[in-house]
Amino acid sequence: MFLHPMSWPNGKKCAASVTFDIDADSLVRVGRPKDADLRLQPISMGRYGPTVAVPRILETYRRLELTQTFFMPGWVMEEYPDTVEAILKDGHEIGHHSWAHEDPMEHSDEVEAELFERALDTHIKMTGHKPRGYRAPVYSITPAIVNRLIEHDFLYDSSMMADDLPYEVVTNSGSLIEIPPHWGTDDWPPFAHMGELDYIMPVRGPSDGIKAFIEEFDAMYEAGGFWMPVLHPFLTGRLARWRELERHLERIVEQGDVWLTSMENIAEHAKSTGSRLRQENLDTGPTPATPLTP
């Protein structure tokens, strides 16, 4: 089923991480900078994420005794410090997700470098350490960003889509673990409707939208793979949608044979598999490559 199958700790049949990107109202402020403050409907919809949805999600995680991963832009962390504190208090991971969700393809790498470092400083200031993982806005990662991650000793990225399972990206400056996302497990296609960002899709019902994620899980479970939905609190964190996903998480926990954990743990496990981990070369410059695995 997989060219490079992975085994999971303690005899677990498959692995999973439920990831949330907490973009809040940064999306509208970057997308419509001239008049964002006048657009109260999308601003309020974005704010719903950290203020209403995240506490609901954290409550579920506490009840099910889960430790998971959230990605936050640095600007969002500074604007919503109580959200950061609540996530950290429960022992969850917070990954790097840009400064204010700016698409790296929309500006020069010099600008991107400044934004990346600004967000990194915020992470260190608010969490006490560098983040271990990164996810690019709209998955728009570039070779220069990959080099930047390696330079700052990031363990993993979650922006590229070259496999179903975690793999190692080997570059001219070093390497890191890639935990691949995919639009098939992203909640923007079924649930997002935001005219301010020129993204207008038919919004699917909660059970219909969540069904696609569950079908992806079922396939990965059967094959012994890895399942990682990429969710947003202002979308999937709404009551009916979260209720549907929550029921699925309850079933996974009750089964007892799924390693449901943070992305940091997934990446550490992938790194520990050594030469069994698939490698993909990425040319990012003149420096000789140094793989993570022997």
Side-chain angles (χ1 to χ4, degrees):
M1 188 66 71
F2 298 119
L3 292 177
H4 296 266
M6 296 183 67
S7 60
W8 305 107
N10 302 316
K12 298 293 186 181
K13 182 174 176 61
C14 78
S17 289
V18 180
T19 69
F20 274 95
D21 294 358
I22 309 177
D23 303 327
D25 43 317
S26 67
L27 299 172
V28 180
R29 296 187 184 280
V30 169
R32 299 289 184 175
K34 294 181 179 179
D35 59 1
D37 285 329
L38 301 179
R39 298 176 180 269
L40 295 184
Q41 176 269 126
I43 289 289
S44 62
M45 182 167 61
R47 288 179 55 80
Y48 179 97
T51 59
V52 176
V54 170
R56 174 179 294 145
I57 293 161
L58 291 177
E59 180 182 6
T60 297
Y61 288 168
R62 284 193 296 270
R63 181 170 60 82
L64 298 180
E65 299 182 347
L66 298 178
T67 302
Q68 296 296 292
T69 298
F70 297 83
F71 289 91
M72 296 184 72
W75 179 88
V76 176
M77 294 177 72
E78 291 192 352
E79 289 293 312
Y80 299 92
D82 291 346
T83 302
V84 174
E85 182 179 353
I87 291 170
L88 295 177
K89 180 181 178 182
D90 284 358
H92 302 291
E93 176 188 12
I94 299 179
H96 192 305
H97 194 42
S98 77
W99 169 246
H101 209 274
E102 307 91 344
D103 187 339
M105 302 305 295
E106 299 297 324
H107 51 240
S108 69
D109 187 61
E110 288 75 17
V111 171
E112 177 61 26
E114 191 278 326
L115 295 172
F116 183 95
E117 296 289 344
R118 191 191 309 177
L120 189 63
D121 289 344
T122 295
H123 272 270
I124 295 171
K125 178 180 66 177
M126 297 188 71
T127 71
H129 58 81
K130 285 186 177 181
R132 306 292 311 280
Y134 172 82
R135 178 176 287 154
V138 205
Y139 307 127
S140 292
I141 192 166
T142 67
I145 293 175
V146 173
N147 280 340
R148 200 162 290 127
L149 296 176
I150 292 170
E151 177 187 349
H152 284 288
D153 297 320
F154 275 66
L155 172 64
Y156 72 88
D157 169 65
S158 183
S159 310
M160 294 179 275
M161 306 182 182
D163 209 321
D164 300 298
L165 299 175
Y167 59 98
E168 182 182 8
V169 174
V170 180
T171 80
N172 305 86
S173 59
S175 60
L176 77 168
I177 300 297
E178 180 63 36
I179 305 183
H182 189 265
W183 284 106
T185 49
D186 190 301
D187 61 359
W188 270 77
F191 292 143
H193 185 93
M194 189 174 289
E196 292 77 13
L197 301 183
D198 298 321
Y199 193 95
I200 301 177
M201 298 286 285
V203 177
R204 298 166 66 180
S207 59
D208 189 26
I210 298 299
K211 180 182 177 182
F213 304 147
I214 296 174
E215 290 174 349
E216 294 280 353
F217 170 81
D218 289 342
M220 285 295 181
Y221 178 80
E222 180 180 341
F226 172 66
W227 178 68
M228 183 187 68
V230 178
L231 310 174
H232 301 78
F234 82 99
L235 296 175
T236 299
R238 298 199 74 89
L239 181 59
R241 298 166 182 176
W242 183 243
R243 184 180 63 174
E244 286 293 322
L245 189 59
E246 182 182 46
R247 289 170 177 169
H248 183 55
L249 294 178
E250 290 170 349
R251 288 193 294 270
I252 292 177
V253 171
E254 288 173 3
Q255 285 175 213
D257 58 354
V258 177
W259 189 35
L260 190 53
T261 189
S262 69
M263 291 179 67
E264 180 179 7
N265 287 340
I266 295 292
E268 288 283 11
H269 175 71
K271 182 179 177 180
S272 74
T273 62
S275 59
R276 291 172 293 167
L277 189 66
R278 185 174 83 80
Q279 294 181 352
E280 176 156 304
N281 293 320
L282 179 65
D283 186 2
T284 59
T287 307
T290 304
L292 282 170
T293 54

